Amino acid sequence: MEAIRIDPTSDAPLGIPANIWASFAVVVLGIAIFVVQTVRHRGEPDSSPFTVTPQQRQDAEALSPAGS
C-alpha cells in the first residue's frame, strides 16, 4: 500500500509539504502575538493573582500561628 501512495511533496514550494508550512505559519503567528502583547503591556504593574503586596504579607503573618 505504501508503494502506491502519491506524495505531492515534490509539488510543494521548496519541497516542504503544506502541513509543515502551516506549522511554520502558526509558530510565527504565535511569536508575533507574544511580541505585540509584550510591547503593549510594558510598564504595567504585575496584576498576577499570585503577587503578594506588603500589606497582604503583613496580614498573613498576623493571622498565622506563632512559631510556624
Side-chain angles (χ1 to χ4, degrees):
M1 201 60 154
E2 194 67 27
I4 62 171
R5 186 175 73 132
I6 298 172
D7 193 5
T9 302
S10 60
D11 298 336
L14 301 175
I16 300 174
N19 61 341
I20 303 297
W21 281 115
S23 299
F24 289 151
V26 168
V27 168
V28 168
L29 180 64
I31 291 171
I33 290 171
F34 176 77
V35 169
V36 167
Q37 291 298 321
T38 302
V39 170
R40 286 175 95 191
H41 299 290
R42 184 181 307 154
E44 287 185 11
D46 186 18
S47 61
S48 170
F50 304 108
T51 303
V52 178
T53 64
Q55 181 62 41
Q56 290 170 331
R57 182 179 304 275
Q58 185 179 8
D59 293 344
E61 288 172 354
L63 295 174
S64 67
S68 57

